[in-house]
Amino acid sequence: MVEKKWDAFVYGDVNIDIVIPGVEKFPAPGEEDLVDCMDTFVGGGAALFTLGLGKLGLNPVFQGSIGEDCYGKLIKDEFRKNNVDDSLLTISRSNKTGISLSFTNEKDRSFLTYQGTNAELNLEAIDFNKLAQARHIHVTQYAGSKNHEQYLSLLKKIKETGDITVSFDVGWDSSGEWFKGIYELFPYIDVLFMNETEAIHYSGKAEAKEAIEDFSRHCRIAAAKLGKKGSIAVSQGAFYEAAPFRVTAVDTTGAGDSFNAGFIYGFLKGKPVGECLLTGNACGARSVTAYGGNTAFPTQEELLKFLKEN
C-alpha cells in the first residue's frame, strides 16, 4: 500500500474567467461602450473543483498546464492561497493560459473563449506514479468515442491499485453524440456526476431519477444535479434526495463543480450519501451568490455555519 500524500488528485482544465456583468448589447463596429465592472477569476471545471476541496480543508493536488504569463502566475497564487498543491502544474512552451470572456445580464450569458493550454489536455499525460499517492481522483473532460478508450484504460489501471476511489463528472456533450459506450466506464466509478439533461440524454430515460437508477446498477453512487430543484442520488438500490437552499443567484458559473466538491468532501470524510448531497447543495448555493466560480465557495467553518443557519 502506497502512503497517501494527497486527499485528491485532479487532472484537467484551468483558465482565466473575465466576467463582464450588465452587458445588454455589443458595441457596433468602430464604437466603444463603457461598463461598470470587469473582474478576473480562476476558471475551468477541474480547477474550480480542486479549489473547493482546498477551501474545505482537504489536501488536493492539481495536474494541468498554464502559460508563462501573468494569468498563469495568478492561477498559481490562487492555488497556493487555497491549499492546492501546484507541484504538478506545468508551464506550456507553445500556448498561453486560456481565457474565457463572460458577458452577463439578467437574462443570459454569452462567452468568447481562447482554449490556450487547455487544448493540450490528454489523459496520457497523467503521472500515474503521482496519482498512486492520492486517496481519490476526480475525472472530467470526457468526449465520447473520441477519448473513450483512453478513459477506459485509465480507469481500469486505477482500479487495479485497489485503494484509489474515483469520481467522474461527465459534462455536456457539445457534439450531440451522447455515446452509449459510456456505460462501459461505470463499473470503475465510485461517484458518477451528471446534471439533469446529461443524465436523460445518456440514458435515454424520461427523467433524471430513472436515469440515475439505471446508472447505479453499474457504479457505486450515481448523482444528478437538478439546479433549483436540488439534487438526487442512488446507491445500492437506495434513493436519496436533498432540497435546494434558497439564495439570490448572481452568477451560476461553477455551480456544478462547487456541488461536486461539496459532495466529494463529504464522501472522503465518510459521510452518508444523503449528507453528501446536502453538503453539495450548500456549496453550490453559496457559489452562485458572487461573480466568479469560486469566489463565494465556503471554507469548512463557513459551510458548517451555512448548514446550521439553513
Side-chain angles (χ1 to χ4, degrees), residues 165-206:
T165 52
V166 178
S167 57
F168 181 40
D169 188 314
V170 176
W172 182 257
D173 183 359
S174 58
S175 74
E177 178 186 26
W178 303 107
F179 184 55
K180 297 303 180 186
I182 194 173
Y183 277 80
E184 195 177 10
L185 306 180
F186 293 169
Y188 306 97
I189 295 168
D190 295 282
V191 184
L192 174 67
F193 292 118
M194 293 195 196
N195 67 29
E196 184 173 14
T197 309
E198 292 159 357
I200 290 170
H201 277 303
Y202 273 113
S203 67
K205 304 295 183 182

mmCIF file of all heavy atoms in Angstrom, residues 165-206:
data_model
loop_
_atom_site.group_PDB
_atom_site.id
_atom_site.type_symbol
_atom_site.label_atom_id
_atom_site.label_comp_id
_atom_site.label_asym_id
_atom_site.label_seq_id
_atom_site.Cartn_x
_atom_site.Cartn_y
_atom_site.Cartn_z
ATOM 1 N N THR A 165 -10.241 5.835 -4.909
ATOM 2 C CA THR A 165 -11.628 5.990 -5.338
ATOM 3 C C THR A 165 -11.698 7.009 -6.472
ATOM 4 O O THR A 165 -10.818 7.852 -6.629
ATOM 5 C CB THR A 165 -12.535 6.428 -4.174
ATOM 6 O OG1 THR A 165 -11.973 7.589 -3.540
ATOM 7 C CG2 THR A 165 -12.685 5.315 -3.149
ATOM 8 N N VAL A 166 -12.770 6.915 -7.256
ATOM 9 C CA VAL A 166 -12.892 7.709 -8.481
ATOM 10 C C VAL A 166 -14.222 8.443 -8.526
ATOM 11 O O VAL A 166 -15.275 7.831 -8.306
ATOM 12 C CB VAL A 166 -12.795 6.806 -9.729
ATOM 13 C CG1 VAL A 166 -12.974 7.632 -11.011
ATOM 14 C CG2 VAL A 166 -11.484 6.048 -9.765
ATOM 15 N N SER A 167 -14.192 9.742 -8.801
ATOM 16 C CA SER A 167 -15.413 10.477 -9.146
ATOM 17 C C SER A 167 -15.268 10.978 -10.576
ATOM 18 O O SER A 167 -14.165 11.280 -11.042
ATOM 19 C CB SER A 167 -15.682 11.633 -8.180
ATOM 20 O OG SER A 167 -14.601 12.543 -8.111
ATOM 21 N N PHE A 168 -16.400 11.060 -11.264
ATOM 22 C CA PHE A 168 -16.390 11.325 -12.702
ATOM 23 C C PHE A 168 -17.523 12.280 -13.033
ATOM 24 O O PHE A 168 -18.695 11.944 -12.850
ATOM 25 C CB PHE A 168 -16.569 9.986 -13.429
ATOM 26 C CG PHE A 168 -16.569 10.044 -14.932
ATOM 27 C CD1 PHE A 168 -15.696 10.864 -15.621
ATOM 28 C CD2 PHE A 168 -17.431 9.242 -15.660
ATOM 29 C CE1 PHE A 168 -15.680 10.881 -17.013
ATOM 30 C CE2 PHE A 168 -17.428 9.249 -17.049
ATOM 31 C CZ PHE A 168 -16.558 10.074 -17.725
ATOM 32 N N ASP A 169 -17.188 13.508 -13.455
ATOM 33 C CA ASP A 169 -18.195 14.446 -13.929
ATOM 34 C C ASP A 169 -18.192 14.396 -15.446
ATOM 35 O O ASP A 169 -17.238 14.808 -16.091
ATOM 36 C CB ASP A 169 -17.894 15.865 -13.442
ATOM 37 C CG ASP A 169 -19.038 16.823 -13.752
ATOM 38 O OD1 ASP A 169 -19.531 16.793 -14.899
ATOM 39 O OD2 ASP A 169 -19.436 17.598 -12.877
ATOM 40 N N VAL A 170 -19.273 13.889 -16.013
ATOM 41 C CA VAL A 170 -19.319 13.619 -17.443
ATOM 42 C C VAL A 170 -19.250 14.900 -18.267
ATOM 43 O O VAL A 170 -18.499 15.014 -19.228
ATOM 44 C CB VAL A 170 -20.591 12.816 -17.792
ATOM 45 C CG1 VAL A 170 -20.686 12.608 -19.290
ATOM 46 C CG2 VAL A 170 -20.572 11.484 -17.063
ATOM 47 N N GLY A 171 -20.055 15.886 -17.903
ATOM 48 C CA GLY A 171 -20.069 17.148 -18.635
ATOM 49 C C GLY A 171 -20.941 17.097 -19.877
ATOM 50 O O GLY A 171 -21.408 16.043 -20.311
ATOM 51 N N TRP A 172 -21.154 18.256 -20.466
ATOM 52 C CA TRP A 172 -22.040 18.399 -21.622
ATOM 53 C C TRP A 172 -21.363 17.880 -22.878
ATOM 54 O O TRP A 172 -20.176 18.131 -23.116
ATOM 55 C CB TRP A 172 -22.425 19.864 -21.809
ATOM 56 C CG TRP A 172 -23.373 20.075 -22.953
ATOM 57 C CD1 TRP A 172 -23.072 20.571 -24.191
ATOM 58 C CD2 TRP A 172 -24.765 19.787 -22.967
ATOM 59 N NE1 TRP A 172 -24.209 20.616 -24.976
ATOM 60 C CE2 TRP A 172 -25.266 20.129 -24.246
ATOM 61 C CE3 TRP A 172 -25.651 19.263 -22.021
ATOM 62 C CZ2 TRP A 172 -26.593 19.968 -24.606
ATOM 63 C CZ3 TRP A 172 -26.977 19.100 -22.374
ATOM 64 C CH2 TRP A 172 -27.443 19.455 -23.646
ATOM 65 N N ASP A 173 -22.105 17.155 -23.707
ATOM 66 C CA ASP A 173 -21.590 16.655 -24.973
ATOM 67 C C ASP A 173 -21.986 17.610 -26.094
ATOM 68 O O ASP A 173 -23.083 17.537 -26.636
ATOM 69 C CB ASP A 173 -22.147 15.249 -25.247
ATOM 70 C CG ASP A 173 -21.590 14.649 -26.530
ATOM 71 O OD1 ASP A 173 -20.794 15.325 -27.204
ATOM 72 O OD2 ASP A 173 -21.953 13.499 -26.843
ATOM 73 N N SER A 174 -21.073 18.513 -26.442
ATOM 74 C CA SER A 174 -21.377 19.518 -27.458
ATOM 75 C C SER A 174 -21.492 18.912 -28.859
ATOM 76 O O SER A 174 -22.055 19.528 -29.760
ATOM 77 C CB SER A 174 -20.296 20.611 -27.463
ATOM 78 O OG SER A 174 -19.025 20.040 -27.695
ATOM 79 N N SER A 175 -20.992 17.680 -29.039
ATOM 80 C CA SER A 175 -21.073 17.028 -30.351
ATOM 81 C C SER A 175 -22.463 16.446 -30.605
ATOM 82 O O SER A 175 -22.821 16.164 -31.754
ATOM 83 C CB SER A 175 -20.040 15.898 -30.445
ATOM 84 O OG SER A 175 -20.445 14.781 -29.663
ATOM 85 N N GLY A 176 -23.225 16.231 -29.525
ATOM 86 C CA GLY A 176 -24.549 15.629 -29.659
ATOM 87 C C GLY A 176 -24.515 14.122 -29.831
ATOM 88 O O GLY A 176 -25.546 13.492 -30.077
ATOM 89 N N GLU A 177 -23.356 13.520 -29.650
ATOM 90 C CA GLU A 177 -23.225 12.069 -29.838
ATOM 91 C C GLU A 177 -23.892 11.286 -28.709
ATOM 92 O O GLU A 177 -24.552 10.275 -28.932
ATOM 93 C CB GLU A 177 -21.745 11.686 -29.911
ATOM 94 C CG GLU A 177 -21.503 10.193 -30.066
ATOM 95 C CD GLU A 177 -20.022 9.836 -29.979
ATOM 96 O OE1 GLU A 177 -19.256 10.585 -29.334
ATOM 97 O OE2 GLU A 177 -19.641 8.809 -30.552
ATOM 98 N N TRP A 178 -23.674 11.723 -27.464
ATOM 99 C CA TRP A 178 -24.194 11.042 -26.273
ATOM 100 C C TRP A 178 -23.889 9.543 -26.360
ATOM 101 O O TRP A 178 -24.749 8.691 -26.367
ATOM 102 C CB TRP A 178 -25.691 11.293 -26.084
ATOM 103 C CG TRP A 178 -26.015 12.753 -26.003
ATOM 104 C CD1 TRP A 178 -26.626 13.517 -26.960
ATOM 105 C CD2 TRP A 178 -25.691 13.654 -24.935
ATOM 106 N NE1 TRP A 178 -26.706 14.829 -26.555
ATOM 107 C CE2 TRP A 178 -26.142 14.951 -25.315
ATOM 108 C CE3 TRP A 178 -25.063 13.497 -23.700
ATOM 109 C CZ2 TRP A 178 -25.989 16.072 -24.495
ATOM 110 C CZ3 TRP A 178 -24.904 14.614 -22.881
ATOM 111 C CH2 TRP A 178 -25.366 15.872 -23.285
ATOM 112 N N PHE A 179 -22.601 9.249 -26.395
ATOM 113 C CA PHE A 179 -22.060 7.923 -26.668
ATOM 114 C C PHE A 179 -22.529 6.888 -25.630
ATOM 115 O O PHE A 179 -22.229 6.996 -24.448
ATOM 116 C CB PHE A 179 -20.534 8.017 -26.667
ATOM 117 C CG PHE A 179 -19.812 6.772 -27.012
ATOM 118 C CD1 PHE A 179 -20.072 6.102 -28.200
ATOM 119 C CD2 PHE A 179 -18.837 6.266 -26.165
ATOM 120 C CE1 PHE A 179 -19.381 4.944 -28.529
ATOM 121 C CE2 PHE A 179 -18.136 5.117 -26.480
ATOM 122 C CZ PHE A 179 -18.410 4.456 -27.672
ATOM 123 N N LYS A 180 -23.264 5.891 -26.084
ATOM 124 C CA LYS A 180 -23.824 4.875 -25.178
ATOM 125 C C LYS A 180 -22.742 3.978 -24.585
ATOM 126 O O LYS A 180 -22.963 3.322 -23.560
ATOM 127 C CB LYS A 180 -24.854 4.025 -25.912
ATOM 128 C CG LYS A 180 -26.070 4.804 -26.403
ATOM 129 C CD LYS A 180 -26.780 5.522 -25.263
ATOM 130 C CE LYS A 180 -27.986 6.299 -25.772
ATOM 131 N NZ LYS A 180 -28.618 7.119 -24.713
ATOM 132 N N GLY A 181 -21.578 3.965 -25.226
ATOM 133 C CA GLY A 181 -20.478 3.180 -24.685
ATOM 134 C C GLY A 181 -20.003 3.665 -23.333
ATOM 135 O O GLY A 181 -19.210 2.984 -22.667
ATOM 136 N N ILE A 182 -20.497 4.824 -22.907
ATOM 137 C CA ILE A 182 -20.111 5.357 -21.601
ATOM 138 C C ILE A 182 -20.424 4.378 -20.467
ATOM 139 O O ILE A 182 -19.740 4.343 -19.449
ATOM 140 C CB ILE A 182 -20.802 6.722 -21.348
ATOM 141 C CG1 ILE A 182 -20.141 7.438 -20.166
ATOM 142 C CG2 ILE A 182 -22.297 6.553 -21.119
ATOM 143 C CD1 ILE A 182 -20.641 8.851 -19.956
ATOM 144 N N TYR A 183 -21.443 3.544 -20.667
ATOM 145 C CA TYR A 183 -21.798 2.555 -19.644
ATOM 146 C C TYR A 183 -20.627 1.615 -19.332
ATOM 147 O O TYR A 183 -20.550 1.059 -18.238
ATOM 148 C CB TYR A 183 -23.004 1.733 -20.107
ATOM 149 C CG TYR A 183 -24.342 2.385 -19.852
ATOM 150 C CD1 TYR A 183 -24.829 3.372 -20.697
ATOM 151 C CD2 TYR A 183 -25.128 2.008 -18.768
ATOM 152 C CE1 TYR A 183 -26.063 3.974 -20.475
ATOM 153 C CE2 TYR A 183 -26.369 2.591 -18.533
ATOM 154 C CZ TYR A 183 -26.825 3.578 -19.389
ATOM 155 O OH TYR A 183 -28.054 4.161 -19.161
ATOM 156 N N GLU A 184 -19.725 1.467 -20.273
ATOM 157 C CA GLU A 184 -18.568 0.600 -20.087
ATOM 158 C C GLU A 184 -17.633 1.135 -19.000
ATOM 159 O O GLU A 184 -16.860 0.380 -18.394
ATOM 160 C CB GLU A 184 -17.822 0.485 -21.421
ATOM 161 C CG GLU A 184 -16.823 -0.637 -21.502
ATOM 162 C CD GLU A 184 -16.179 -0.748 -22.873
ATOM 163 O OE1 GLU A 184 -16.368 0.174 -23.712
ATOM 164 O OE2 GLU A 184 -15.475 -1.744 -23.114
ATOM 165 N N LEU A 185 -17.717 2.449 -18.730
ATOM 166 C CA LEU A 185 -16.862 3.071 -17.716
ATOM 167 C C LEU A 185 -17.418 2.933 -16.304
ATOM 168 O O LEU A 185 -16.667 2.968 -15.323
ATOM 169 C CB LEU A 185 -16.685 4.566 -18.026
ATOM 170 C CG LEU A 185 -16.181 4.963 -19.419
ATOM 171 C CD1 LEU A 185 -16.083 6.486 -19.505
ATOM 172 C CD2 LEU A 185 -14.841 4.327 -19.729
ATOM 173 N N PHE A 186 -18.726 2.801 -16.181
ATOM 174 C CA PHE A 186 -19.393 2.914 -14.889
ATOM 175 C C PHE A 186 -18.897 1.929 -13.817
ATOM 176 O O PHE A 186 -18.816 2.302 -12.638
ATOM 177 C CB PHE A 186 -20.901 2.783 -15.052
ATOM 178 C CG PHE A 186 -21.536 3.929 -15.812
ATOM 179 C CD1 PHE A 186 -22.853 3.847 -16.248
ATOM 180 C CD2 PHE A 186 -20.828 5.083 -16.083
ATOM 181 C CE1 PHE A 186 -23.444 4.893 -16.940
ATOM 182 C CE2 PHE A 186 -21.404 6.142 -16.780
ATOM 183 C CZ PHE A 186 -22.722 6.040 -17.212
ATOM 184 N N PRO A 187 -18.563 0.678 -14.152
ATOM 185 C CA PRO A 187 -18.109 -0.245 -13.095
ATOM 186 C C PRO A 187 -16.836 0.198 -12.385
ATOM 187 O O PRO A 187 -16.528 -0.295 -11.293
ATOM 188 C CB PRO A 187 -17.878 -1.558 -13.859
ATOM 189 C CG PRO A 187 -18.751 -1.467 -15.055
ATOM 190 C CD PRO A 187 -18.716 -0.019 -15.444
ATOM 191 N N TYR A 188 -16.101 1.134 -12.984
ATOM 192 C CA TYR A 188 -14.841 1.591 -12.403
ATOM 193 C C TYR A 188 -15.005 2.913 -11.649
ATOM 194 O O TYR A 188 -14.023 3.487 -11.187
ATOM 195 C CB TYR A 188 -13.793 1.755 -13.514
ATOM 196 C CG TYR A 188 -13.612 0.512 -14.342
ATOM 197 C CD1 TYR A 188 -14.269 0.361 -15.567
ATOM 198 C CD2 TYR A 188 -12.813 -0.533 -13.877
ATOM 199 C CE1 TYR A 188 -14.113 -0.790 -16.322
ATOM 200 C CE2 TYR A 188 -12.657 -1.691 -14.629
ATOM 201 C CZ TYR A 188 -13.312 -1.825 -15.844
ATOM 202 O OH TYR A 188 -13.170 -2.974 -16.584
ATOM 203 N N ILE A 189 -16.252 3.386 -11.524
ATOM 204 C CA ILE A 189 -16.519 4.703 -10.948
ATOM 205 C C ILE A 189 -17.233 4.573 -9.603
ATOM 206 O O ILE A 189 -18.207 3.834 -9.463
ATOM 207 C CB ILE A 189 -17.370 5.538 -11.926
ATOM 208 C CG1 ILE A 189 -16.563 5.826 -13.205
ATOM 209 C CG2 ILE A 189 -17.827 6.849 -11.282
ATOM 210 C CD1 ILE A 189 -17.389 6.394 -14.332
ATOM 211 N N ASP A 190 -16.720 5.309 -8.607
ATOM 212 C CA ASP A 190 -17.358 5.308 -7.282
ATOM 213 C C ASP A 190 -18.465 6.351 -7.194
ATOM 214 O O ASP A 190 -19.514 6.082 -6.615
ATOM 215 C CB ASP A 190 -16.302 5.570 -6.196
ATOM 216 C CG ASP A 190 -15.287 4.444 -6.116
ATOM 217 O OD1 ASP A 190 -15.617 3.394 -5.541
ATOM 218 O OD2 ASP A 190 -14.185 4.611 -6.655
ATOM 219 N N VAL A 191 -18.235 7.541 -7.739
ATOM 220 C CA VAL A 191 -19.248 8.605 -7.723
ATOM 221 C C VAL A 191 -19.377 9.180 -9.127
ATOM 222 O O VAL A 191 -18.428 9.780 -9.649
ATOM 223 C CB VAL A 191 -18.907 9.730 -6.729
ATOM 224 C CG1 VAL A 191 -20.043 10.750 -6.682
ATOM 225 C CG2 VAL A 191 -18.639 9.176 -5.337
ATOM 226 N N LEU A 192 -20.542 8.986 -9.729
ATOM 227 C CA LEU A 192 -20.823 9.484 -11.070
ATOM 228 C C LEU A 192 -21.689 10.729 -10.965
ATOM 229 O O LEU A 192 -22.762 10.697 -10.357
ATOM 230 C CB LEU A 192 -21.553 8.413 -11.880
ATOM 231 C CG LEU A 192 -22.060 8.812 -13.267
ATOM 232 C CD1 LEU A 192 -20.891 9.083 -14.212
ATOM 233 C CD2 LEU A 192 -22.972 7.719 -13.840
ATOM 234 N N PHE A 193 -21.225 11.836 -11.566
ATOM 235 C CA PHE A 193 -21.974 13.088 -11.551
ATOM 236 C C PHE A 193 -22.488 13.426 -12.949
ATOM 237 O O PHE A 193 -21.736 13.368 -13.928
ATOM 238 C CB PHE A 193 -21.081 14.258 -11.108
ATOM 239 C CG PHE A 193 -20.630 14.222 -9.681
ATOM 240 C CD1 PHE A 193 -19.277 14.139 -9.367
ATOM 241 C CD2 PHE A 193 -21.544 14.283 -8.648
ATOM 242 C CE1 PHE A 193 -18.852 14.135 -8.060
ATOM 243 C CE2 PHE A 193 -21.124 14.271 -7.314
ATOM 244 C CZ PHE A 193 -19.772 14.197 -7.025
ATOM 245 N N MET A 194 -23.759 13.800 -13.028
ATOM 246 C CA MET A 194 -24.319 14.389 -14.244
ATOM 247 C C MET A 194 -25.344 15.431 -13.822
ATOM 248 O O MET A 194 -25.843 15.389 -12.701
ATOM 249 C CB MET A 194 -25.022 13.345 -15.123
ATOM 250 C CG MET A 194 -24.129 12.305 -15.735
ATOM 251 S SD MET A 194 -24.974 11.414 -17.087
ATOM 252 C CE MET A 194 -23.910 9.995 -17.264
ATOM 253 N N ASN A 195 -25.646 16.379 -14.736
ATOM 254 C CA ASN A 195 -26.796 17.231 -14.466
ATOM 255 C C ASN A 195 -28.028 16.555 -15.057
ATOM 256 O O ASN A 195 -27.936 15.491 -15.688
ATOM 257 C CB ASN A 195 -26.590 18.660 -14.974
ATOM 258 C CG ASN A 195 -26.523 18.756 -16.499
ATOM 259 O OD1 ASN A 195 -27.109 17.958 -17.226
ATOM 260 N ND2 ASN A 195 -25.803 19.756 -16.989
ATOM 261 N N GLU A 196 -29.172 17.156 -14.852
ATOM 262 C CA GLU A 196 -30.428 16.526 -15.236
ATOM 263 C C GLU A 196 -30.479 16.210 -16.736
ATOM 264 O O GLU A 196 -30.821 15.088 -17.138
ATOM 265 C CB GLU A 196 -31.589 17.451 -14.854
ATOM 266 C CG GLU A 196 -32.954 16.883 -15.117
ATOM 267 C CD GLU A 196 -34.068 17.765 -14.562
ATOM 268 O OE1 GLU A 196 -33.785 18.942 -14.220
ATOM 269 O OE2 GLU A 196 -35.204 17.293 -14.470
ATOM 270 N N THR A 197 -30.114 17.174 -17.558
ATOM 271 C CA THR A 197 -30.190 16.996 -19.009
ATOM 272 C C THR A 197 -29.200 15.945 -19.505
ATOM 273 O O THR A 197 -29.528 15.112 -20.354
ATOM 274 C CB THR A 197 -29.937 18.334 -19.721
ATOM 275 O OG1 THR A 197 -30.788 19.336 -19.172
ATOM 276 C CG2 THR A 197 -30.211 18.220 -21.205
ATOM 277 N N GLU A 198 -27.986 15.981 -18.972
ATOM 278 C CA GLU A 198 -26.977 14.994 -19.358
ATOM 279 C C GLU A 198 -27.438 13.585 -19.037
ATOM 280 O O GLU A 198 -27.285 12.658 -19.851
ATOM 281 C CB GLU A 198 -25.660 15.298 -18.641
ATOM 282 C CG GLU A 198 -24.986 16.587 -19.103
ATOM 283 C CD GLU A 198 -23.997 17.135 -18.094
ATOM 284 O OE1 GLU A 198 -23.852 16.548 -16.994
ATOM 285 O OE2 GLU A 198 -23.376 18.176 -18.399
ATOM 286 N N ALA A 199 -28.013 13.409 -17.840
ATOM 287 C CA ALA A 199 -28.471 12.086 -17.409
ATOM 288 C C ALA A 199 -29.548 11.542 -18.341
ATOM 289 O O ALA A 199 -29.538 10.356 -18.715
ATOM 290 C CB ALA A 199 -28.986 12.153 -15.975
ATOM 291 N N ILE A 200 -30.476 12.396 -18.736
ATOM 292 C CA ILE A 200 -31.558 11.977 -19.632
ATOM 293 C C ILE A 200 -31.007 11.615 -21.008
ATOM 294 O O ILE A 200 -31.384 10.588 -21.594
ATOM 295 C CB ILE A 200 -32.626 13.087 -19.718
ATOM 296 C CG1 ILE A 200 -33.383 13.197 -18.390
ATOM 297 C CG2 ILE A 200 -33.602 12.815 -20.864
ATOM 298 C CD1 ILE A 200 -34.285 14.407 -18.287
ATOM 299 N N HIS A 201 -30.098 12.427 -21.526
ATOM 300 C CA HIS A 201 -29.523 12.162 -22.847
ATOM 301 C C HIS A 201 -28.741 10.848 -22.871
ATOM 302 O O HIS A 201 -28.888 10.040 -23.799
ATOM 303 C CB HIS A 201 -28.611 13.303 -23.282
ATOM 304 C CG HIS A 201 -29.330 14.465 -23.896
ATOM 305 N ND1 HIS A 201 -30.144 14.340 -24.995
ATOM 306 C CD2 HIS A 201 -29.340 15.785 -23.573
ATOM 307 C CE1 HIS A 201 -30.637 15.520 -25.323
ATOM 308 N NE2 HIS A 201 -30.171 16.419 -24.469
ATOM 309 N N TYR A 202 -27.872 10.646 -21.881
ATOM 310 C CA TYR A 202 -27.034 9.450 -21.893
ATOM 311 C C TYR A 202 -27.839 8.172 -21.653
ATOM 312 O O TYR A 202 -27.509 7.112 -22.187
ATOM 313 C CB TYR A 202 -25.912 9.561 -20.856
ATOM 314 C CG TYR A 202 -24.675 10.243 -21.384
ATOM 315 C CD1 TYR A 202 -24.275 11.488 -20.897
ATOM 316 C CD2 TYR A 202 -23.906 9.647 -22.381
ATOM 317 C CE1 TYR A 202 -23.141 12.117 -21.388
ATOM 318 C CE2 TYR A 202 -22.775 10.278 -22.882
ATOM 319 C CZ TYR A 202 -22.395 11.503 -22.378
ATOM 320 O OH TYR A 202 -21.274 12.132 -22.875
ATOM 321 N N SER A 203 -28.886 8.264 -20.844
ATOM 322 C CA SER A 203 -29.663 7.065 -20.500
ATOM 323 C C SER A 203 -30.794 6.772 -21.474
ATOM 324 O O SER A 203 -31.212 5.621 -21.620
ATOM 325 C CB SER A 203 -30.258 7.225 -19.103
ATOM 326 O OG SER A 203 -31.240 8.262 -19.102
ATOM 327 N N GLY A 204 -31.308 7.825 -22.112
ATOM 328 C CA GLY A 204 -32.487 7.655 -22.951
ATOM 329 C C GLY A 204 -33.763 7.528 -22.139
ATOM 330 O O GLY A 204 -34.825 7.212 -22.684
ATOM 331 N N LYS A 205 -33.692 7.819 -20.837
ATOM 332 C CA LYS A 205 -34.863 7.743 -19.959
ATOM 333 C C LYS A 205 -35.638 9.060 -19.997
ATOM 334 O O LYS A 205 -35.154 10.076 -20.478
ATOM 335 C CB LYS A 205 -34.439 7.429 -18.524
ATOM 336 C CG LYS A 205 -33.610 6.162 -18.376
ATOM 337 C CD LYS A 205 -34.378 4.913 -18.747
ATOM 338 C CE LYS A 205 -33.537 3.658 -18.522
ATOM 339 N NZ LYS A 205 -34.258 2.426 -18.934
ATOM 340 N N ALA A 206 -36.842 9.032 -19.431
ATOM 341 C CA ALA A 206 -37.710 10.202 -19.479
ATOM 342 C C ALA A 206 -37.342 11.242 -18.429
ATOM 343 O O ALA A 206 -37.627 12.434 -18.593
ATOM 344 C CB ALA A 206 -39.165 9.783 -19.311
#
